[in-house]
Amino acid sequence: MGKIIFLDIDGTLCNDVGVVPASAKQAIIQAYENGHRFYLCTGRSKAEISEEVLDLPISGIIGAGGGYCEVDGEVILHQVFDSNELKKLIGFLEEHRVEYYLESNQGLFASANLKSRLIQLTLGDAKEDSAEGQEKIAAINWFLNLLIDDPSLIDYEDVNKVSFVNHSIPYEVIEAEYDGDFYMLRSTVPAFGPDSGEIGIKGINKKTAIETLLKHIQRDKEDCLAFGDGNNDLVMFEAVGTGIAMGNAKDELKAAADEITLTHDEGGIAHTLAKLDYVKL
């Protein structure tokens, strides 16, 4: 029987510009053909997962940091915010001029100035109308195009995570206000900045979702591997038999890993799958 392999997306399956390296694509396809099964395990909500990723032979998705789970197209878990608590949280972020987007399976709903902030962060010192600037913006257009900026379309009963892009107040101020009520962690997207982060539902994380998924498919922890790069993957490693940290992973995750592989662009996923004899390179 093949192994169950969980894949984080940002910084693991995808590189820093959101692209899946060719080595990872080829190895995943070959390992799937050899009987192994892959599940995404990501902080992204389903609406935020690119077609490039979904076109891989993926058997299921854990999204929203554990708040959503589907297996072979069947939704087996979907946890959402209490709408009143969510509105209070949004009020706090807006009061402190923190940009954000609400994540749901219906889409990503952006705060008023989020798109312009993301463009500013992406451009850096480049001019928007320069060739360099246009190239930088083109690289994030896939994400900008996902953002819905019409607040009348938001269903506050169907939001499973909030991501915030913050350059106004220290992360610790938001954490002090909400960490007891929600599950909080710093953003795994470096471009968002060190004071940015994610807010999820308390008691829900990648570990709890993996445990739900494994019970559903009747497989054991020891049958599982997981690839990750961020500190939100620490709990994912607790839920599997073997945790594999990417070469570009945070030091804390490397310390907790059973194995450390190469970086995403160096072919880390393919390297380890070949080392385990799941594929032939």
Side-chain angles (χ1 to χ4, degrees), residues 204-221:
I204 297 295
N205 56 48
K206 290 184 176 185
K207 179 182 179 180
T208 59
I210 288 175
E211 290 170 346
T212 299
L213 187 151
L214 292 181
K215 184 177 181 181
H216 181 80
I217 65 174
Q218 299 182 318
R219 294 294 297 270
D220 296 325
K221 172 181 178 177

Side-chain angles (χ1 to χ4, degrees), residues 133-162:
Q134 290 300 304
E135 184 178 348
K136 286 184 171 184
I137 293 173
I140 66 164
N141 266 337
W142 70 272
F143 182 67
L144 295 177
N145 290 337
L146 289 176
L147 296 174
I148 302 166
D149 48 18
D150 182 351
S152 70
L153 299 177
I154 300 172
D155 180 356
Y156 291 96
E157 303 283 349
D158 188 41
V159 174
N160 48 35
K161 201 179 75 165
V162 178

Side-chain angles (χ1 to χ4, degrees), residues 181-237:
D181 300 319
F182 302 110
Y183 174 67
M184 281 192 63
L185 54 95
R186 291 184 188 272
S187 178
T188 58
V189 182
F192 285 1
D195 288 313
S196 299
E198 302 175 359
I199 302 173
I201 299 163
K202 190 175 181 179
I204 297 295
N205 56 48
K206 290 184 176 185
K207 179 182 179 180
T208 59
I210 288 175
E211 290 170 346
T212 299
L213 187 151
L214 292 181
K215 184 177 181 181
H216 181 80
I217 65 174
Q218 299 182 318
R219 294 294 297 270
D220 296 325
K221 172 181 178 177
E222 290 70 27
D223 296 331
C224 304
L225 293 77
F227 288 86
D229 74 302
N231 287 345
N232 64 330
D233 296 320
L234 287 165
V235 290
M236 178 170 72
F237 282 8

Side-chain angles (χ1 to χ4, degrees), residues 34-219:
N34 290 336
H36 306 287
R37 292 296 173 260
F38 292 87
Y39 293 84
L40 301 175
C41 191
T42 177
R44 296 191 190 192
S45 291
K46 186 177 181 181
E48 196 178 353
I49 301 174
S50 68
E51 288 301 318
E52 180 186 33
V53 172
L54 293 174
D55 284 343
L56 294 169
I58 299 298
S59 298
I61 300 167
I62 290 173
Y68 174 83
C69 182
E70 68 174 56
V71 177
D72 295 324
E74 177 189 357
V75 178
I76 65 168
L77 170 72
H78 189 200
Q79 300 284 341
V80 296
F81 282 100
D82 175 271
S83 60
N84 291 325
E85 293 303 315
L86 176 63
K87 289 174 182 177
K88 290 178 187 176
L89 170 59
I90 291 169
F92 175 87
L93 296 175
E94 292 180 345
E95 178 185 351
H96 290 86
R97 303 186 309 283
V98 175
E99 303 304 330
Y100 62 87
Y101 57 96
L102 310 180
E103 303 185 26
S104 82
N105 291 335
Q106 300 178 43
L108 307 181
F109 297 90
S111 58
N113 299 310
L114 177 64
K115 285 187 180 180
S116 59
R117 175 63 56 85
L118 292 177
I119 290 171
Q120 179 186 31
L121 290 173
T122 301
L123 286 171
D125 295 329
K127 301 292 185 182
E128 187 169 355
D129 57 358
S130 68
E132 180 189 6
Q134 290 300 304
E135 184 178 348
K136 286 184 171 184
I137 293 173
I140 66 164
N141 266 337
W142 70 272
F143 182 67
L144 295 177
N145 290 337
L146 289 176
L147 296 174
I148 302 166
D149 48 18
D150 182 351
S152 70
L153 299 177
I154 300 172
D155 180 356
Y156 291 96
E157 303 283 349
D158 188 41
V159 174
N160 48 35
K161 201 179 75 165
V162 178
S163 290
F164 58 91
V165 180
N166 170 37
H167 296 83
S168 301
I169 57 176
Y171 173 88
E172 289 78 9
V173 173
I174 304 174
E175 184 178 44
E177 183 76 16
Y178 284 110
D179 194 42
D181 300 319
F182 302 110
Y183 174 67
M184 281 192 63
L185 54 95
R186 291 184 188 272
S187 178
T188 58
V189 182
F192 285 1
D195 288 313
S196 299
E198 302 175 359
I199 302 173
I201 299 163
K202 190 175 181 179
I204 297 295
N205 56 48
K206 290 184 176 185
K207 179 182 179 180
T208 59
I210 288 175
E211 290 170 346
T212 299
L213 187 151
L214 292 181
K215 184 177 181 181
H216 181 80
I217 65 174
Q218 299 182 318
R219 294 294 297 270

